[in-house]
Structure formats: C-alpha cells, structure tokens
Amino acid sequence: MAEEKEKGQDSCSSEERESVKLFVGQVPKHMSEAELVCMFKEVALVDEVNVIKDKTTRASRGCCFVICPSREEADKAVNACHNKRTLPGASSPLQVKYADGELERLEHKLFVGMLPKNVSDAEVSSLFSIYGTIKDLQILRGSQQTSKGCAFLKYETKEQALAALEAINGKYKMEGSSVPLVVKWADTEKERQARRAQKAQSQASGVSNTDSTQQPSLFGALPMGYIPPFNGFSYQAPGTYGLMQYPLQPMQNQPGFHNLIPPINRGSALRGVSHDLPPGIAPRNFVTMPAGSYIGSAYPSAPGIQYPMAYPGGIMSHRPINSSRGLTPPAITNGRGTSPTSSSSGIQVEGPPGANLFIYHIPQEFGDQELANAFQAFGRVLSAKVFIDKATGVSKCFGFVSYDMPAAAQSAINMMNGCQLGGKKLKVQLKRDNKHNKPY
DNA sequence: TCATATT
C-alpha cells in the first residue's frame, strides 16, 4: 500500500497501475472466492476476489468485489461478463460494474463552487489549465444561461486535480467576486443518491419548507458536508431546515479525524476544506439527520387510506401506521401472536413452490410489517418484503409474501387479489420461479 | 411488475 504510493510520486502517470474494483452481482451464494477468481481469470487479469458476506451470519450475500490491476483489465471483465452469462442457481445474468465511487475516483473529477454568475468557460478553463490538462469542463447553468455558481471539471490525472484543488480551494477569488472559489472532489454517485434521499425524506416528513424553489440557493448544488467558508456558524441555509444537526460523540471529534476520511486519497481535499473553517468547526463533527428521526415525531396520517370492511380478520391491528417512511424501527406487534416471522429477523425466507406470492399495488406507506399483517390471516407468513427505492427511500409498491404452504398462498390470492387498498386494487399472484427450469 | 446485493 504505502510502497505503491511512493511509486506514484516519482513516475509520471499513475494511470497504468491504478487498480480498479468491480462490483459483481448475481453470484450464487455457494460460490467460493477461489472459484470466482478462476472464472474471472479466464477473461481478465484479477488480483483478488472478495465475496460480500452478511456481517453476522458470514453467509454470502450473492455478490462480490473483483480487484483488477488496471482499468483495461477491469473493462475486459465487464465486457466479457456483464449481462453475458447466468451462473447456475442465479435468477438473472451476472452484473459486473465499477464499484461505488470507482468511476469518480478514476475520473479525477472536481467540484468548483462560488463561481461568479457571469463566468465564462474560458475564464474557468484558463485558471484551471495552470494545473493540468482539463479533460472535461461543465459549468452548471440555469434558464438564462447564467451560471449557477458551480462547475464540474475533470483532469487527466489525480495529481493534476489535487494540485488545482490545493492551490485554488478557499484561496483564489475570481475577478469581480468577493468570495474565494471552493474546490473539492466531486461527490460520488452514492453520495448524490444519499442527498437526494435525504431531501425526499425531509420533504415527506412534513417539516414544511413551504416553497423550496424560492431559495434554491447554492446549497442545493453544493456537495454534502460542504460548509461555506467564513460563516461556519450560520450555514443552516434556507431550504435545509428540515434537517437537524447533532454533534457526534466526543471521541470521534478530535485527533482521530483522519479515521473519518473516506479511503482512496481524498484526504487532502477534506483537510483543505477544513482549513478554511473557524477553529473547532470541522465538517465531520456534525452529522445531518432528517428531522423525522426524532422519536415520537408527529406525522400527519397518510391521507386516503381505507381498509375495506371485507378485510379478513382484524388484520391491521390497532397500531397506527408507524411513521411514514420507515424512519422509525418498526415496533412489531403481530396481530395473532404467532411466532416471529423471518421478516422481522431480516433474512428472506422463501416458502415451498406455490407458497410464494408476488404482490403489486401495495399502498405506498406499507412496510414489511404492514404487508405481513395484511397477509397473515391466510396462513403462516414466513417472510414479507416490500421493495424500497434506494435513492428516495420510497416504496416501489410491490413485494413478496411467503407462506409455509401453497394452500395459504392460494387462499390469499382468492381473498386479496383485486382487493381495494388505499387508492388501488391489489394484484396478488404466485411468484414466478426461476429456479428449476434451467436448461442442462 | 418478480428477491438489486457495495466488505
């Protein structure tokens, strides 16, 4: 590791030996790392394979990371495998892509903030060209082609990007501007998604910012964790007051700061930002949480939900739906006092053939537990899962329920299919089975 | 609209 870094200093381009991590999905859970190495070595150079395992059970989660020695080799693996072949036991073809953050890391992409509204491409480009070759420059513009005050920029190499970052961030004012530019590593896709989800949640939680368009402000466009220079104490900007800040534990505050810096050589960028802050205000000393995370927060009850009278057996229990988007851990009350379902243990259990249901048009506010409750009148529910959009935290309105016997599933179909719940009619069908009909 | 999972 350390030696690799040393080498990076003295030779010109680090491109060639930069290793690349791939994420691979649809990996049968029984496959070992050795078997996977073998398989991928047929198509590309591979340094290492790591199966991703459940933290507690150590069982494979059906996916792995593959480390390739270069981008070229990684691309070979992607091209040869992604969506190209289905491993025995998998339900769909292998998914092979760059792991989260890899692409951004490889692109040496920077975010530039605090640009003047009337800045031109040429101005930005000539400033940043001092530090290296710009591969791509994109100034974000609004309707009247006026700049939104920020830009994304890619350099040829990490060293160039880092040089620009360190030289310009917080230090350089563009002509006619009273504040210095902000330069940091661009967010990864994942960080962007996290921010989107956070925004969606703060809006959904009813802490109303009645008009979020009124103050689009820089903050909408700024990277997560960014604190504007020179006013670190008052950055609760309009548009963010659905969010609360909590100090972290003291232990995490002080000297161990570097522990909080994401891997992969982003350290100096973060430190660069923090230098500009008033003493004692380090960006990572705060964690931002949706206001709804408070226990006992009062959510408006979801409108328009009606449970039909024909509903079998007191299904929903008396418990009001517990927070809107699963922010609060479900307080599990199983209406019939049956033994715990696996949905509460987190492991997905599939029932015997013919005992598994696919359900569509599930009301948006239903979580796993509400789904289980709604279907428990027909038999022992082994598991119930509602699918949630990772980016928004919102239900995708479909899910699965598994029983221990086909008869239970059948009677659930009879009773629940077409049943009006919320605005729409439930669609309740047997789950498709990808398993046993595989061609030899 | 059929189990998509990022150590």
Side-chain angles (χ1 to χ4, degrees):
Chain A
M1 260 312 149
E3 76 182 82
E4 212 178 315
K5 229 180 171 181
E6 305 258 345
K7 277 191 266 170
Q9 309 289 15
D10 50 27
S11 91
C12 42
S13 166
S14 61
E15 292 300 272
E16 239 59 44
R17 13 161 231 301
E18 232 167 0
S19 69
V20 176
K21 178 158 66 173
L22 299 175
F23 173 83
V24 181
Q26 297 300 327
V27 175
K29 294 195 195 338
H30 57 77
M31 276 186 87
S32 69
E33 289 174 348
E35 289 172 308
L36 288 160
V37 169
C38 266
M39 187 182 81
F40 284 105
K41 280 206 165 154
E42 287 175 19
V43 299
L45 293 175
V46 172
D47 292 332
E48 202 179 326
V49 170
N50 298 304
V51 168
I52 299 166
K53 306 187 187 79
D54 183 277
K55 276 191 214 32
T56 56
T57 70
R58 308 293 299 156
S60 164
R61 304 193 62 172
C63 47
C64 69
F65 289 118
V66 173
I67 317 288
C68 294
S70 68
R71 196 152 174 187
E72 288 67 31
E73 294 303 319
D75 290 338
K76 273 157 72 178
V78 172
N79 292 330
C81 301
H82 180 65
N83 271 138
K84 292 278 162 59
R85 54 177 299 204
T86 302
L87 265 21
S91 58
S92 46
L94 273 178
Q95 298 300 107
V96 184
K97 32 196 190 186
Y98 284 60
D100 282 349
E102 282 297 272
L103 207 49
E104 292 88 345
R105 183 177 70 83
L106 263 17
E107 281 182 319
H108 319 299
K109 187 176 183 182
L110 296 176
F111 170 87
V112 182
M114 298 292 169
L115 287 171
K117 300 288 176 208
N118 58 359
V119 76
S120 71
D121 282 45
E123 289 173 90
V124 176
S125 160
S126 72
L127 169 61
F128 282 88
S129 296
I130 297 171
Y131 305 94
T133 310
I134 297 173
K135 297 291 282 280
D136 188 49
L137 170 64
Q138 179 190 7
I139 297 177
L140 274 53
R141 298 188 184 280
S143 44
Q144 325 295 6
Q145 73 221 78
T146 143
S147 142
K148 288 188 169 173
C150 58
F152 291 101
L153 174 151
K154 295 176 193 170
Y155 275 109
E156 208 170 44
T157 71
K158 182 179 67 197
E159 289 74 17
Q160 294 170 0
L162 194 54
L165 188 155
E166 288 178 335
I168 298 175
N169 179 44
K171 297 177 184 156
Y172 183 89
K173 292 179 189 167
M174 295 207 73
E175 200 176 300
S177 173
S178 57
V179 287
L181 293 180
V182 167
V183 184
K184 56 157 275 167
W185 295 107
D187 276 3
T188 66
E189 177 61 26
K190 200 175 191 183
E191 287 165 326
R192 240 175 299 153
Q193 280 180 359
R195 178 158 359 79
R196 266 203 301 264
Q198 203 173 53
K199 204 170 85 186
Q201 300 229 334
S202 66
Q203 279 167 4
S205 69
V207 180
S208 66
N209 171 2
T210 45
D211 184 4
S212 59
T213 60
Q214 196 167 11
Q215 295 277 8
S217 94
L218 225 37
F219 290 83
L222 286 178
M224 185 160 48
Y226 165 68
I227 297 175
F230 312 128
N231 69 343
F233 286 97
S234 57
Y235 78 101
Q236 182 106 16
T240 64
Y241 45 82
L243 307 173
M244 318 286 297
Q245 288 135 11
Y246 299 85
L248 286 181
Q249 306 307 321
M251 243 187 74
Q252 290 174 304
N253 275 349
Q254 296 296 323
F257 186 68
H258 54 274
N259 290 337
L260 302 173
I261 294 167
I264 341 212
N265 305 325
R266 293 188 164 220
S268 43
L270 289 167
R271 274 179 233 116
V273 168
S274 66
H275 282 161
D276 296 322
L277 299 170
I281 305 293
R284 300 291 163 147
N285 284 358
F286 290 88
V287 62
T288 308
M289 300 185 72
S293 313
Y294 273 124
I295 294 167
S297 62
Y299 282 94
S301 53
I305 303 172
Q306 291 157 3
Y307 306 113
M309 300 309 291
Y311 225 56
I315 291 166
M316 289 311 297
S317 84
H318 342 283
R319 183 170 61 86
I321 293 177
N322 173 344
S323 97
S324 55
R325 309 287 173 218
L327 290 169
T328 314
I332 297 186
T333 55
N334 189 323
R336 285 200 306 180
T338 54
S339 57
T341 65
S342 65
S343 60
S344 54
S345 77
I347 296 173
Q348 286 166 20
V349 177
E350 186 157 346
N356 304 292
L357 297 176
F358 171 72
I359 299 143
Y360 196 60
H361 293 158
I362 297 169
Q364 186 117 76
E365 44 284 308
F366 273 38
D368 295 354
Q369 192 57 43
E370 284 82 10
L371 183 64
N373 285 342
F375 280 82
Q376 71 187 356
F378 312 103
R380 176 181 293 268
V381 174
L382 299 181
S383 67
K385 175 111 198 116
V386 174
F387 277 76
I388 303 296
D389 186 290
K390 230 191 327 173
T392 65
V394 167
S395 162
K396 291 188 165 171
C397 299
F398 75 89
F400 298 91
V401 168
S402 293
Y403 292 103
D404 60 353
M405 298 186 325
Q410 200 51 60
S411 95
I413 292 172
N414 294 339
M415 296 297 296
M416 297 294 278
N417 186 37
C419 177
Q420 180 128 358
L421 201 55
K424 293 183 192 144
K425 290 180 178 170
L426 281 186
K427 186 169 282 191
V428 183
Q429 313 170 317
L430 285 179
K431 176 180 135 23
R432 241 182 251 150
D433 192 6
N434 294 310
K435 289 254 158 96
H436 38 68
N437 42 330
K438 50 187 161 188
Y440 50 99

